[in-house]
Amino acid sequence: MARSSVITHPLSRRRLLKGGAALGIGSAAALGLRPAWADPWGQTNTYAKGIEEGPEVALAIRRESLEIDGQAALPYTINGESPGPMIRLKEGQDAVLRVTNLLDEPTSIHWHGLILPPDQDGVPGVSFPGIAPGETFTYRFPVRQNGTYWYHSHSGLQEQLGHAGPLIIDAAEREPFRYDREHVLLLTDWTFEDPMTVFRNLKTAEGYYNFQERTIADFFADVREKGFAATAEMRGMWAKMRMSSRDIADVTGSTYTYLLNGHSPEENWTALFKAGERIRLRVINGSAMSYFDVRIPGLKMTVVAADGQPVQPVPVDEFRIAVAETYDVLVAPEDDTAYTIFAESMDRSGYARATLAPREGMAAEIPERRRIADRGMEAMGAHDMGGMDHAGMEDMNDADDMGSMDHSEMEGMDHSAMEGMGDAGGREPSDGEDEAGMLAPGEAQPGSRYGQAGIGIDPEARRTLVYRDLKAFTPWPDRRIPGRELELRLTGNMERYMWSFDGKKFSEVTGPIHFEKDERLRLILVNETMMEHPIHLHGMWMELENGQGELIPRKHTLNIKPGERVSALITADAEGSWAFHCHLLYHMDAGMFRVVKVS
Ligand SMILES: [Cu+2]
């Protein structure tokens, strides 16, 4: 196997094949048969795969031949497109979504991030039986929110092969920001392999897609740098954990072609603008397994929403988007020039790319890819720090935080009030903390690293979004102090490719996780593995306790870094059964899945 190909350029082989494909597009254009995504202006340019306007939408699911990156492929399609069209709804509508299964296997659509009745959530075996071949299932629900979301299959591994699309909900009232034009940017990871083969490969050979193992040469380089004892100790530690220090992602660019709106980096989908406009980019990570670091060299991006919910503006140069998250950013290009939208996979094995340009056919420079990050002690965070609060230590260095104040002096005091997050309802300092031994609502858990973007990000290189930046505009309605804490460990065995909660795969658990109807609880997630996991709760928001007190952001998907301990507040107001899982597709399938029952 050509092991070096992933490190040099995963597309070099395909580039050779591209000539023919480019000709194909050219001749189609000559015949007036330009593909829809090539249409530069008008609505089709908002998103490359067309729009289905609500409130009534009909979707047909097929498996059919399409070209992806210029090669013959057999994706799942939604109304003939893969990934599927954008569904556009309005807040306040009653959505009617008719999904017809034209496959010879069951299917489903889950509306990711939407608050809706449990039988409309689209998870086979939890919300409904699924959609049988030949059947049409009609989803009906009131649209009670707005923002950038997405939809995808919740059946088997279908999502890996393009069974996903954007779901945009226009706000009933003015949003807290304005813009002149918008583009949807849907990131996916495509493979020409059968996803079942990918899964089998992961189960039979650890690191099958990971050709970035450290070599014996690296070992001696480490010895020179750190000395023999330290190096041997480090190596021993990795061996004991049956992990490689370079397992950043378990499926990589060696099989994946990273797509932006269904198009490969070489196809270079172009999002158009006029100089001086303010543009809203709705970025969705609809990947099965890939995190991306997104930036547009030459443009500042202002983050204005996370997971569909507005946040106070955060100007950044780059943001990491976990699988299943969405971010809305504003950019304001002043010049009549092209910019590269660059989404580098977290493991640096490849990238997705598009161009933001005033005219078609333009391109800007593609940035150099960063080196593969190494999961050293730093990346392991709280685990190695012997219970030390890494995040707390980091807070101290932050100018905008508490300056030189010592947190230990604040014992027993009301942190949220101290940090100017607003009132804490005038309650006594000891409230919550002493009686129940709990942190004040909104306080960051010891062991969290909300001030860090994560592995492979150099905070000195550019301003990168971190979870602690996310701040709501107003407090969320339920101000109750959580009545209890529920702790779940994220567990796994990389070598056997088993992923689980509390050491138990979904097939091994006897019943659902119980939330008491209408209770307010704190969910604590402790990542005991060496990988990031994007944890998704259906049916209810999770208010991420990122240290912003009353103004903590609410999310549907939380990225938990290796070794990290994070928490979220939940109002269990959605009676019924809901899926709760890691959104890495193969982790979910391997058992990192639970049912939450609210009753
Ligand atoms: Cu996972």
Side-chain angles (χ1 to χ4, degrees):
M1 192 168 301
R3 293 205 153 207
S4 61
S5 68
V6 65
I7 294 169
T8 54
H9 200 297
L11 300 166
S12 50
R13 180 179 51 82
R14 288 178 207 138
R15 182 167 284 139
L16 295 174
L17 300 169
K18 272 304 293 179
L23 268 179
I25 287 164
S27 51
L31 294 168
L33 297 172
R34 290 167 61 86
W37 60 268
D39 181 4
W41 292 103
Q43 277 202 314
T44 49
N45 190 245
T46 299
Y47 171 67
K49 301 289 183 180
I51 302 178
E52 298 288 349
E53 291 272 358
E56 293 206 25
V57 168
L59 302 170
I61 315 297
R62 294 185 180 83
R63 187 92 193 258
E64 58 190 321
S65 299
L66 273 186
E67 276 202 354
I68 291 175
D69 191 27
Q71 293 184 60
L74 196 61
Y76 291 90
T77 64
I78 301 149
N79 291 356
E81 296 283 2
S82 182
M86 174 208 305
I87 297 175
R88 187 139 212 162
L89 303 174
K90 268 198 179 70
E91 189 176 5
Q93 281 178 337
D94 287 311
V96 181
L97 302 147
R98 295 187 177 84
V99 180
T100 301
N101 181 0
L102 299 175
L103 306 169
D104 55 11
E105 61 185 306
T107 193
S108 58
I109 291 184
H110 163 60
W111 317 101
H112 186 104
L114 264 58
I115 302 301
L116 38 62
D119 54 352
Q120 305 300 305
D121 196 46
V123 182
V126 180
S127 347
F128 76 147
I131 311 173
E135 192 194 340
T136 298
F137 183 86
T138 305
Y139 293 86
R140 293 172 197 271
F141 54 86
V143 181
R144 299 184 301 188
Q145 63 200 94
N146 65 73
T148 302
Y149 303 92
W150 64 298
Y151 64 90
H152 61 83
S153 169
H154 227 292
S155 301
L157 302 174
Q158 293 173 355
E159 183 200 313
Q160 173 74 87
L161 296 183
H163 196 330
L167 172 53
I168 306 300
I169 307 174
D170 290 313
E173 306 200 337
R174 235 185 96 99
E175 290 173 280
F177 48 86
R178 62 154 207 92
Y179 55 96
D180 307 303
R181 182 191 297 276
E182 67 177 338
H183 290 290
V184 172
L185 305 176
L186 174 67
L187 293 158
T188 55
D189 44 14
W190 170 262
T191 175
F192 289 94
E193 288 188 277
D194 180 345
M196 287 308 292
T197 307
V198 173
F199 197 32
R200 204 163 43 241
N201 290 341
L202 287 168
K203 277 189 185 163
T204 50
E206 177 203 358
Y208 185 92
Y209 293 104
N210 206 311
F211 307 144
Q212 305 171 350
E213 296 282 341
R214 301 195 54 137
T215 62
I216 194 77
D218 287 333
F219 181 84
F220 286 109
D222 281 355
V223 169
R224 274 195 302 276
E225 212 175 293
K226 299 172 186 123
F228 184 79
T231 304
E233 194 188 342
M234 224 166 72
R235 291 305 175 97
M237 186 184 76
W238 292 117
K240 214 161 63 196
M241 292 189 297
R242 303 178 192 285
M243 292 288 299
S244 152
S245 62
R246 287 197 178 161
D247 283 332
I248 311 290
D250 34 38
V251 191
T252 70
S254 66
T255 186
Y256 280 151
T257 302
Y258 301 108
L259 304 179
L260 203 157
N261 290 349
H263 295 288
S264 68
E266 287 165 328
E267 289 176 323
N268 189 26
W269 183 69
T270 299
L272 293 175
F273 73 92
K274 292 192 176 102
E277 283 181 333
R278 194 190 300 207
I279 301 146
R280 175 188 197 165
L281 302 175
R282 299 175 180 266
V283 187
I284 302 164
N285 189 349
S287 292
M289 293 296 281
S290 311
Y291 281 44
F292 291 96
D293 292 318
V294 182
R295 63 191 151 118
I296 307 175
L299 287 183
K300 201 79 181 173
M301 303 182 285
T302 303
V303 178
V304 292
D307 287 5
Q309 300 298 293
V311 292
Q312 296 190 27
V314 191
V316 299
D317 301 309
E318 179 167 39
F319 62 92
R320 170 162 292 178
I321 185 165
V323 170
E325 287 186 319
T326 75
Y327 284 106
D328 289 48
V329 303
L330 300 180
V331 293
E334 294 292 335
D335 301 323
D336 189 61
T337 186
Y339 301 88
T340 296
I341 301 170
F342 190 62
E344 195 175 17
S345 73
M346 180 172 72
D347 70 333
R348 311 297 178 232
S349 67
Y351 58 88
R353 166 236 189 177
T355 294
L356 189 61
R359 286 171 299 284
E360 253 211 304
M362 296 177 77
E365 201 184 325
I366 297 175
E368 208 173 291
R369 272 149 61 190
R370 280 164 287 198
R371 291 184 47 208
I372 303 152
D374 199 16
R375 283 212 197 278
M377 302 295 270
E378 186 63 31
M380 298 191 47
H383 260 339
D384 316 296
M385 301 295 292
M388 261 179 97
D389 184 351
H390 208 132
M393 286 171 61
E394 198 196 66
D395 283 347
M396 298 306 156
N397 301 328
D398 251 59
D400 66 341
D401 204 71
M402 294 297 292
S404 58
M405 264 190 89
D406 184 350
H407 271 213
S408 62
E409 286 174 22
M410 296 166 65
E411 281 297 288
M413 295 180 72
D414 188 338
H415 283 212
S416 58
M418 287 289 298
E419 292 179 11
M421 297 314 163
D423 82 319
R427 55 191 185 82
E428 292 299 310
S430 63
D431 210 22
E433 293 95 327
D434 285 355
E435 283 162 40
M438 290 202 293
L439 288 174
E443 190 79 357
Q445 286 287 323
S448 60
R449 283 177 283 140
Y450 300 125
Q452 296 173 10
I455 184 103
I457 293 284
D458 174 6
E460 306 294 318
R462 52 183 72 83
R463 175 67 170 91
T464 306
L465 183 77
V466 294
Y467 266 2
R468 204 184 41 204
D469 292 328
L470 300 175
K471 206 170 166 181
F473 274 94
T474 49
W476 302 115
D478 193 349
R479 305 309 311 148
R480 286 178 294 164
I481 285 168
R484 68 170 174 128
E485 293 186 338
L486 175 67
E487 187 170 310
L488 270 181
R489 294 176 300 121
L490 281 47
T491 46
N493 180 319
M494 186 66 181
E495 195 181 44
R496 289 155 65 198
Y497 211 73
M498 284 176 11
W499 298 100
S500 52
F501 290 108
D502 286 345
K504 281 192 172 144
K505 293 189 292 180
F506 183 53
S507 58
E508 295 168 343
V509 298
T510 49
I513 294 168
H514 184 244
F515 288 1
E516 195 72 33
K517 170 84 165 81
D518 292 325
E519 75 167 322
R520 179 83 165 156
L521 79 154
R522 170 178 285 143
L523 179 65
I524 301 174
L525 298 166
V526 185
N527 187 350
E528 295 187 351
T529 79
M530 287 293 301
M531 301 195 77
E532 287 76 7
H533 299 278
I535 302 298
H536 174 44
L537 173 64
H538 292 222
M540 289 155 278
W541 290 108
M542 295 182 284
E543 294 166 33
L544 175 66
E545 294 188 286
N546 65 345
Q548 296 290 8
E550 282 203 316
L551 298 179
I552 56 176
R554 74 183 178 183
K555 297 190 88 261
H556 49 59
T557 307
L558 300 180
N559 176 38
I560 325 281
K561 297 191 277 288
E564 203 178 23
R565 174 189 174 90
V566 312
S567 70
L569 300 177
I570 297 169
T571 298
D573 55 1
E575 197 161 7
S577 292
W578 302 98
F580 174 77
H581 59 94
C582 175
H583 220 288
L584 298 180
L585 185 62
Y586 300 99
H587 288 196
M588 176 176 76
D589 215 57
M592 210 166 188
F593 183 98
R594 289 290 179 96
V595 173
V596 166
K597 187 167 187 186
V598 181
S599 64

